[in-house]
Amino acid sequence: MQTARVSSSEGRSAMRRHAAPALSSQRLPSLRSMPPRTSDSQGDVAVAVEALDYRGLALGTTIISMCAIISAGVARPAAAEERAWKPRRHFRRMGERIGDDWAEQAVELEETAKEQTSAHSRYIQDFRRTQQEEEFRRMKSEQDARVKRANQLMSQPDAARNLPFSVKVGNTELVPYMFWLAVFGVVAYTTRNMWGAMRKGSRGGRWVYDRSMGGKKVWVSDSPSDLDTLSGRVAVRSAEFDRLVTVAAVGNSTVATAAPFQLPAWWNPPPTSFAGKDVREARQAEADKQLTRIEQSKNRGEDYALADILRLRVLCQEGGVTVETRTKGGRDAIYKAAVEAAVMYAQDRTNSDVNLGDQNSEFPETRFVTALAGDLKVADERAASSVRAAAAAACRSRLLDALKLLKEDNEMDALVSLLYLSSLTQNLPALTPGSAEPELIASSLQSVSTVDERKKIFYILGQLHADGAALYAEMLGFEAAAVVPKLFADVEALKNQVQTREGGATPPAAAA
């Protein structure tokens, strides 16, 4: 873009052009327009003063104009030369003019751009072609080198192989043949096993664990195979295998068949509810909501609250309804928590942190666990088994505590622990003589106690609860038929001795 420059002389000429009209517009008054002179001296003086006024005004105007010209063109020449003058943005291209050949110039510019683009494209294509040719030549040279190297290796004689061991017959090395023979044997063995498994699956049968072989898993087919017959083995059919297993089980067990489940004597079902339809529907909704709250306790990282379970029991009793948990595992966990609370309450009803209330029964523990099993739809056999397991664990814990305290000569605390055990067997009589739980408790005490320690505990429990002497004897590993009569005889003799000592009389046995 071209830039116009203004010199100081041009500035002065411009100022003259602008100032000229101003000077010409202010005309001085002529002598003809003046009033005629008079002979009076005062009149002459007045005319002269008026003429001077007009001439002074013109002279002032001229002086001001000249000062403006001097200040514009002469006073600031250094500042104008030090800094190049630049017009405003919208005046930058005022000096440019569009020529007559503007169309030809535009076409020429467009064609020049196209030619440059085409040249660049041809350059890129040539460059890529050159690269591809170089890559092809490099690959061809590498391939030729590999072929040349292979030919050299093949033309050379075989070098002696360094094997870890050598087996030769004459000049023949047998190690490679032995290796391939071993590979063939492994493949043949694997193929034979796969084929045998396919045949077993095709003719039917099942996998069983053979105890005579140390629990090894073996296949028992439904029908004998030709391979078993030819090999001299006796094929066992599935039905024959089941019959043999049954016979073996009967021979190793004292009971041939499992007796059907019967409700235990301590089973204490709640009374039947006769609530109306509206009450039943309302209690069902409340019970479902309460069950949801109980199930969400585990999601919050909390244990099942006994108060929530008791509230669920009350709602189910009032409406005669039952609830169903989302999972069986959740149902069993809720019932297990309730059973553990009942076991704790049965050991100490007075001072226990757990309170089941009266449950409208003389034995609130048994009523609670029995009724809750029906509320949660727990099978009777499963519920009874859970109660027996919890009671057995509590009894074993109390016996271990008592043995430990006796070893420490702390007989008072040992007596308290045995009192808890006696209360549990009376308030929640889930364990009975002859069941499996007392025998398991006795086997766990054999290695941590002596016969004298267990005998001392047996005599204490026999005096606390004489009706449970047979159960206590089995828990401590004694024969109930042998120790219970002796216990009663010793207790009776002790009572007679105490009575004789208090009455001052001589007992008959002592007199004899």
Side-chain angles (χ1 to χ4, degrees):
M1 180 173 53
Q2 298 179 358
T3 306
R5 298 181 178 272
V6 180
S7 63
S8 58
S9 59
E10 292 177 353
R12 287 193 294 269
S13 61
M15 294 301 298
R16 292 193 191 99
R17 287 195 300 270
H18 288 290
L23 294 175
S24 61
S25 60
Q26 298 177 0
R27 299 288 183 179
L28 293 176
S30 62
L31 296 176
R32 294 179 181 179
S33 61
M34 293 181 181
R37 298 180 58 184
T38 59
S39 59
D40 192 1
S41 59
Q42 294 180 352
D44 295 338
V45 172
V47 171
V49 171
E50 185 177 358
L52 289 175
D53 291 337
Y54 282 104
R55 290 175 181 177
L57 178 62
L59 182 60
T61 304
T62 304
I63 293 172
I64 291 173
S65 300
M66 293 301 294
C67 290
I69 293 171
I70 293 171
S71 63
V74 178
R76 299 174 60 184
E81 291 178 357
E82 290 178 358
R83 184 174 56 189
W85 180 82
K86 293 183 179 181
R88 293 182 179 272
R89 287 179 300 175
H90 49 281
F91 293 141
R92 293 269 177 105
R93 305 178 66 90
M94 289 182 61
E96 295 182 3
R97 294 291 185 268
I98 299 177
D100 298 334
D101 57 345
W102 64 268
E104 289 79 0
Q105 293 178 359
V107 172
E108 183 179 357
L109 291 174
E110 184 176 358
E111 290 178 353
T112 303
K114 290 182 179 180
E115 290 178 358
Q116 292 177 356
T117 304
S118 301
H120 183 70
S121 300
R122 288 193 300 272
Y123 170 76
I124 295 297
Q125 292 176 1
D126 296 340
F127 180 74
R128 291 179 179 176
R129 190 182 304 107
T130 303
Q131 285 186 335
Q132 292 176 359
E133 292 176 355
E134 292 179 355
E135 182 69 16
F136 178 75
R137 286 194 297 269
R138 185 185 62 81
M139 294 175 60
K140 189 175 184 305
S141 61
E142 292 179 356
Q143 181 67 21
D144 295 341
R146 285 194 291 267
V147 172
K148 183 178 180 180
R149 179 60 179 168
N151 293 332
Q152 291 177 357
L153 295 175
M154 293 178 65
S155 61
Q156 295 177 359
D158 294 339
R161 297 183 178 90
N162 297 324
L163 299 176
F165 61 93
S166 176
V167 179
K168 289 185 178 181
V169 176
N171 295 328
T172 305
E173 182 65 53
L174 299 181
V175 173
Y177 301 100
M178 295 171 63
F179 172 77
W180 288 111
L181 183 62
V183 171
F184 176 76
V186 172
V187 173
Y189 179 77
T190 306
T191 306
R192 179 181 178 277
N193 290 341
M194 294 176 60
W195 177 71
M198 292 174 60
R199 288 195 59 187
K200 290 176 182 179
S202 61
R203 64 173 180 263
R206 60 177 177 169
W207 292 97
V208 296
Y209 294 94
D210 192 350
R211 293 183 178 179
S212 64
M213 300 178 66
K216 183 179 179 181
K217 191 175 183 180
V218 297
W219 175 265
V220 178
S221 59
D222 295 336
S223 59
S225 62
D226 299 337
L227 183 61
D228 295 335
T229 305
L230 293 175
S231 61
R233 294 181 296 179
V234 179
V236 182
R237 289 191 174 91
S238 179
E240 296 175 354
F241 182 82
D242 293 338
R243 183 176 60 81
L244 293 175
V245 170
T246 304
V247 172
V250 171
N252 296 330
S253 178
T254 57
V255 181
T257 57
F261 172 75
Q262 294 181 357
L263 291 176
W266 54 268
W267 198 255
N268 191 3
T272 305
S273 176
F274 298 97
K277 182 178 179 181
D278 297 339
V279 176
R280 187 181 302 108
E281 291 178 355
R283 295 297 178 269
Q284 181 69 60
E286 294 179 7
D288 293 338
K289 185 177 180 180
Q290 185 68 18
L291 177 63
T292 302
R293 178 181 178 182
I294 295 173
E295 290 178 334
Q296 291 177 352
S297 299
K298 286 298 182 181
N299 297 336
R300 298 191 299 267
E302 302 174 357
D303 295 333
Y304 296 117
L306 179 61
D308 295 339
I309 300 177
L310 290 173
R311 175 60 181 168
L312 177 64
R313 169 83 275 276
V314 171
L315 293 174
C316 293
Q317 177 63 33
E318 291 178 355
V321 297
T322 59
V323 293
E324 186 172 357
T325 58
R326 291 180 294 179
T327 60
K328 293 183 179 180
R331 178 199 63 188
D332 295 340
I334 295 173
Y335 188 71
K336 181 181 179 182
V339 170
E340 291 177 353
V343 171
M344 291 294 297
Y345 183 69
Q347 296 179 52
D348 188 6
R349 292 180 177 177
T350 304
N351 300 321
S352 177
D353 297 335
V354 180
N355 186 10
L356 300 180
D358 56 357
Q359 298 287 328
N360 297 324
S361 175
E362 183 181 357
F363 298 96
E365 300 88 357
T366 58
R367 171 63 59 81
F368 177 63
V369 297
T370 303
L372 187 63
D375 298 340
L376 297 176
K377 297 182 180 180
V378 182
D380 295 343
E381 184 176 1
R382 189 177 186 86
S385 176
S386 300
V387 175
R388 288 197 306 269
C395 291
R396 179 179 178 275
S397 177
R398 292 302 180 185
L399 288 174
L400 290 174
D401 291 342
L403 288 171
K404 177 178 177 296
L405 294 171
L406 285 178
K407 292 178 183 296
E408 298 174 355
D409 295 331
N410 191 353
E411 296 184 354
M412 183 58 65
D413 291 341
L415 180 60
V416 173
S417 181
L418 295 177
L419 281 172
Y420 289 153
L421 173 59
S422 176
S423 300
L424 174 61
T425 55
Q426 295 180 60
N427 298 329
L428 187 58
L431 301 181
T432 56
S435 58
E437 288 79 11
E439 183 179 355
L440 294 175
I441 295 174
S443 63
S444 65
L445 298 177
Q446 294 291 334
S447 60
V448 296
S449 62
T450 62
V451 177
D452 294 338
E453 292 172 347
R454 296 198 301 272
K455 183 178 179 181
K456 187 175 184 178
I457 291 177
F458 172 66
Y459 270 80
I460 296 175
L461 290 173
Q463 296 179 54
L464 294 175
H465 183 210
D467 295 338
L471 176 62
Y472 301 142
E474 293 186 6
M475 286 183 182
L476 296 169
F478 301 129
E479 290 289 340
V483 298
V484 172
K486 188 176 184 303
L487 169 67
F488 290 159
D490 293 343
V491 171
E492 188 65 26
L494 182 61
K495 288 181 179 180
N496 294 333
Q497 185 179 356
V498 172
Q499 291 176 1
T500 301
R501 186 182 304 166
E502 292 178 355
T506 304

